[in-house]
Amino acid sequence: MGNGVDAMKPISRRSFMVGASATAVAGMRTHIIIPKEVTFGLTPVFLDSDIQLLSDLERYLKEALHQDIRLVKRRTYQEIMSLLLPGLLDVAWICGYPYVRHKKSLSLVATPLYQGKPLYRAYLIVKRDSPANTLEDLRGHTHAFSDSDSNSGFLVTRHLLAEKNEAPDTYFRKTIFTLGHRNVIRAVASGLTDSGSVDGYVWDVMQETEPELVAATRVIRQSEPMGFPPIACAALMKDTAVTREITAALMRMHEDDLGQRILATLRLDGFQPSDPHLYDGIAERYEDIKGLV
Amino acid sequence: MSQSIHPFDWPLSFKVPLLVGALMVLLGGVVSNAVLLQLSNTQENHIRHLSEAYLNGVSSAVLPHVLRSDVWESFDVLDRARSQYGGLYVKNTVIALNDNTILAASNPVLFPTDNLIPQMLNELFEDGKVLVIDEIKGNAWMRQILREDGHEIGNIYAEVDISEQLKIRRNTLYTLIAFTMAMTLLMAGLGYALVSRMLRPLSVLGDHVNAIADGDITDIDEATIPRRKGEFHRLMKRFNAMAQALRDRETLSQRLAEEEKLAILGKLASGMAHEVNNPLGGMGNAIDTIRKHGDDDQVRNRSLDILERGLDGIAKVTQATLATYKGSGKADHLTRRDLEDIEFLVHHKITRRQIDLKWRNETPSKIQVDASVTRQIVLNLLLNACEASPKGGQLHFHASVPNDHLVIVVEDQGPGIPDAVAAQLKGENMSVLSQDRHGLGAWTVGTLLKRLGGHIDIQTQGVGQTQGAGTKLTVLLPLDHEVGAQHAIA
């Protein structure tokens, strides 16, 4: 494991897996043994369907850390959070919303730079030929959310409705959770739902990667800029060697050929150290609706 | 040979290839039907198996989501599955819950979530079918029940595009039709060539037989007769033998007709002798009277009158006989006098049988029919009528030329004419000579009438009775304006 040895995490791969499963199921921590590989959690906030991208990322981190790396994918934010919070993952690319909810238990590692800024927006989308142009027009529609732990895919719209003293179940005729921003676009494009709440960064990037699918949808509302989904680790692992190395690898990504390829695929400019205040807007929304959710 | 459009009359060389062609079409039809049926069954099974595989895969993937009524996950399965089944183009997949509401569909616009499934789907599967093929729309709908622990939790419907399969079937049909047509034409052509070749001797035979019907009895040329001693060889040889026999018979018949003429002559000879003999006695007496009392002018003149009348009578008899039996020579037209001569010729028979002859000759002085043949016909009919008439009976003779025909009516009170004799008078069944005593006479009249293009009408009542209502014969002979200018046939 080289430099990444940490007295707090002496776990073998096998016992890690057992422990991870046990924790996921029972929600309790097991005794930590030295890990032989670094684990990097991914959520659907990221374009996790691109196999080549995952392979490149894995290879880049492996070369940068001189250590085996394992990308851990789960269907929901909740599953990743349940692994991240107890330190069963070294780091994970999460969303701003879970971050603000678990701020005390988490530590920010890095924030991606999109179009030069660590910011993104949330979009409300409808089918291209839909007559709807405002949120008000979506009343009585069927609506697709991404994940109940997603900022752009749920919280932003939920907050807008709360401002109208409305709730999704009453405002919309039917709501579904697709557990992925790409799936929200698919649901709206296919006509399964009339509208959807989606990550603006994902929608923008998919305009290039899957133009036909995205062209079937239309953005009717963009939120103000918010903190881009960050890479975070459990607070208790904040200053570990592994965390430091991962942070450094991410910060240097734009300097490396493979790293540049990854960033190009992700349409990102690079990573910068995270500023917790980036997520104040999200935190405010969360505070506003906390009692309602 | 008369041309007929009735299929029975078509030549064999045409009918057989036609039949071969028809059988080929029938065979082609049956084979095509069997092939298409088999293809259709195979395709249906193929579609069924592929659809079942698709639905089984989708069912097992979607089942947990249906149990949770998870719209997105159900849709996600359908959306992904659509592109994952090669060889099967699934147009639509619909998952319906037990209450027939749609949980998810691959095309949510056509089948929106929470709506009832279209009535069309209910109707398609109402009788428990699993696969329904609509060849017009080029699709197939399939249904599978979603079960969990033996409980039905919904249905999954899949619409499969089978237009490719139908296209294959159509192409197969066109290929089969083209092949059958080509084979039919080929077989019909071959059949025509082969059958024509096989039946060529038969058509030669047919032509010769037809020629016989037209009166031309010719042998089949030896070069035409197949050398191989098969059935056609034997048949043609036999035909030639038969043609020879027919020619012999024809010669014999002609000879018989001549003999009939002589027989009549023989019959007449006795009558003639009688007619000649009658005045001879008176004439002898007159000569004696002249010898003895020749000086007396009155006696001499009376005796000479008797001699003159006697000689006239004899002259008439000889002239009539000569005119009737002068044989070949120039065809001359009939005269009123010729018919009167016939009355004279039958006179002795009339007298002997005490027949009351009602003679009406209303013809003009010249009648444009062959004199010799007509006289023979009329004499024959009258002699036979005399024979048939009872003693003391009446015999009517009436001759007239109402328009373009010479009409001769002979009506007696005899017992009638047997059918066989009547047929021969009409020129029918001429190849058989009736055994009746009048047979030869009737045959002769029939032959002569045919020669002149005449016609006879026979009204007989009470055949076999000795004192019947009698027989009325009406002979119609068309006037021939060239008679007198050409050679007679007889």
Side-chain angles (χ1 to χ4, degrees), chain A residues 75 174 178 183 186 190-192, chain B residues 72-73 75-76 79 108 114:
Chain A
R75 285 174 78 241
K174 189 181 184 82
T178 64
N183 289 347
R186 280 173 62 206
S190 69
L192 182 67
Chain B
W72 169 256
E73 294 297 345
F75 168 79
D76 193 39
D79 198 38
D114 289 343

Side-chain angles (χ1 to χ4, degrees), chain A residues 101-148:
Chain A
R101 282 174 68 180
H102 304 284
K103 204 169 180 175
K104 289 177 184 168
S105 311
L106 293 171
S107 170
L108 293 172
V109 174
T111 302
L113 285 169
Y114 174 52
Q115 294 176 341
K117 293 175 184 166
L119 301 170
Y120 82 122
R121 296 167 194 266
Y123 289 174
L124 266 179
I125 58 169
V126 293
K127 210 165 158 57
R128 172 155 291 280
D129 54 6
S130 167
N133 284 312
T134 63
L135 176 64
E136 188 57 41
D137 296 337
L138 304 185
R139 186 185 289 276
H141 279 201
T142 51
H143 191 84
F145 289 118
S146 172
D147 190 306
S148 58

Side-chain angles (χ1 to χ4, degrees), chain B residues 285-296 299:
Chain B
N285 286 338
I287 290 167
D288 284 346
T289 307
I290 290 168
R291 267 190 194 134
K292 288 175 186 167
H293 311 286
D295 298 338
D296 184 338
V299 172

Side-chain angles (χ1 to χ4, degrees), chain A residues 149-217:
Chain A
D149 285 339
S150 165
N151 172 49
S152 57
F154 180 71
L155 180 64
V156 173
T157 306
R158 176 70 190 90
H159 187 259
L160 283 172
L161 294 179
E163 285 176 342
K164 292 170 171 281
N165 288 321
E166 296 277 2
D169 289 348
T170 51
Y171 192 77
F172 297 117
R173 180 159 54 85
K174 189 181 184 82
T175 57
I176 60 169
F177 286 94
T178 64
L179 305 182
H181 292 296
R182 183 174 176 274
N183 289 347
V184 171
I185 299 172
R186 280 173 62 206
V188 176
S190 69
L192 182 67
T193 59
D194 301 316
S195 56
S197 300
V198 70
D199 183 322
Y201 153 73
V202 173
W203 193 90
D204 288 344
V205 173
M206 278 179 60
Q207 261 194 317
E208 293 176 44
T209 56
E210 293 181 77
E212 279 183 27
L213 179 65
V214 176
T217 64

Side-chain angles (χ1 to χ4, degrees), chain A residues 46-47 53 93 114 201 205 261-268:
Chain A
F46 165 84
L47 297 167
L53 175 67
W93 196 340
Y114 174 52
Y201 153 73
V205 173
R261 196 163 84 191
I262 293 165
L263 290 171
T265 306
L266 289 168
R267 272 68 170 177
L268 294 176

